[in-house]
């Protein structure tokens, strides 16, 4: 629904912001399809489905990792765009355009999937029956091979060790710029005519601060547990969850929190943007109105 509403261009957003929002929604939808629906629900309830084939299992693992990385970086790029738009007025004219957004998002999307091609080769068949490969298990050299160790560090750096400080830095600088500009505007308004009247510019800046804090704060809170647990695996000898029920439960909870972060951006935007919210309501009501009329006349 968010993709359709944003694509119609009736939310009062610039074309550049719309590109970022559509990309964020697409990336989050991919995570919901591959990580949550296909693996978290379907494979759990139907363990002997087509997902048990090794080739399908490999593709599924590749799409899971790539979708998460794509989702995280689309959110980071959206924050960067807002930082440039608010804090860099000279650069804004060249950077905050639809063409620039399209090029950057296309490059990041391709990089997100190309970078994770090694994930496909991380797994080998669990067994081979009648020349058919079944199941997936991690290759033996994954935890000791220098190449795999280097890849793990690059993967951890790209998601989420690098986006974390970037989001914190960009949002901090943006909020600082807004606060400084707001104090200056308030001081000028206090010595000029119209003192005490409402200021639409100040109101828009307060909305921006709330939006930035909510997006970055929800991302940090929901991703922090999985980051800590991932670092625990990398710096300790823990390499398996077998026989550690409490650790396994912790891992499941952190994954749940991480997957929940893929839906927060769209809902935050619904709560903070009036016209976007109105368009969503129109879409929800559109099929219900004729159905209600049909039931009333039947």
């Amino acid at each position: 629904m968010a993709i359709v509403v944003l694509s119609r261009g009736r939310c009062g957003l610039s074309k550049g912001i719309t590109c970022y929002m559509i990309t964020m929604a697409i990336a989050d939808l991919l995570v919901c399809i591959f990580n949550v629906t296909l693996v978290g629900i379907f494979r759990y309830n139907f363990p002997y489905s087509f997902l048990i084939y090794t080739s399908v299992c490999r593709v599924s693992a590749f799409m899971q990792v790539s979708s998460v990385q794509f989702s995280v970086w689309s959110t980071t790029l959206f924050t960067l765009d807002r930082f440039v738009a608010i804090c860099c007025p000279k650069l804004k004219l060249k950077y905050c355009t639809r063409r620039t957004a399209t090029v950057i998002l296309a490059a990041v999307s391709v990089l997100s999937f190309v970078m994770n091609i090694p994930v496909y080769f991380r797994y080998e068949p669990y067994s081979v029956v009648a020349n058919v490969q079944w199941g997936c298990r991690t290759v033996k050299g994954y935890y000791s091979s220098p190449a795999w160790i280097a890849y793990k560090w690059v993967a951890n750096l790209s998601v989420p060790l690098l986006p974390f400080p970037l989001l914190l830095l960009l949002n901090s600088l943006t909020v600082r710029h807004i606060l400084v500009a707001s104090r200056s505007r308030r001081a000028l308004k206090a010595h000029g005519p119209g003192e005490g009247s409402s200021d639409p510019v100040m109101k828009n800046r307060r909305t921006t601060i709330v939006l930035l804090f909510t997006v970055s704060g929800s991302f940090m809170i929901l991703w922090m547990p999985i980051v800590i647990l991932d670092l625990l695996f990398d710096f300790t000898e823990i390499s398996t969850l077998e026989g550690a029920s409490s650790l396994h439960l912790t891992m499941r909870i952190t994954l749940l929190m991480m997957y929940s972060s893929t839906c927060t951006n769209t809902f935050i935007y619904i709560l903070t943007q009036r016209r976007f919210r109105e368009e969503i309501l129109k879409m929800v009501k559109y099929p219900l109105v004729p159905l209600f009329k049909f039931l009333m006349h039947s």
Side-chain angles (χ1 to χ4, degrees), residues 88-130:
C88 309
K90 294 182 179 180
L91 184 60
K92 174 183 176 181
L93 298 176
K94 295 182 179 180
Y95 183 83
C96 299
T97 62
R98 182 177 183 178
R99 181 179 179 181
T100 303
T102 302
V103 172
I104 292 176
L105 290 171
V108 170
S109 62
V110 171
L111 185 61
S112 297
F113 288 92
V114 171
M115 177 183 171
N116 290 295
I117 290 178
V119 175
Y120 182 87
F121 302 98
R122 171 184 171 178
Y123 300 97
E124 62 182 6
Y126 190 83
S127 62
V128 179
V129 180

Side-chain angles (χ1 to χ4, degrees), residues 138-193:
T138 303
V139 295
K140 295 181 179 179
Y142 180 73
Y143 297 103
S144 58
S145 171
W148 279 115
I149 293 175
Y151 169 76
K152 284 193 295 181
W153 274 104
V154 172
N156 288 334
L157 182 64
S158 62
V159 175
L161 296 182
L162 186 57
F164 246 75
L166 273 178
L167 280 172
L168 184 60
L169 176 63
L170 292 174
N171 281 284
S172 300
L173 293 175
T174 304
V175 172
R176 178 177 176 272
H177 178 86
I178 292 175
L179 292 177
V180 171
S182 298
R183 282 197 296 266
S184 301
R185 187 176 181 84
R186 198 179 299 115
L188 291 174
K189 194 173 181 61
H191 293 86

Side-chain angles (χ1 to χ4, degrees), residues 50-62:
F50 65 95
L51 293 174
I52 199 173
Y53 291 104
T54 302
S55 58
V56 178
C57 178
R58 285 172 168 174
V59 173
S60 176
F62 165 75

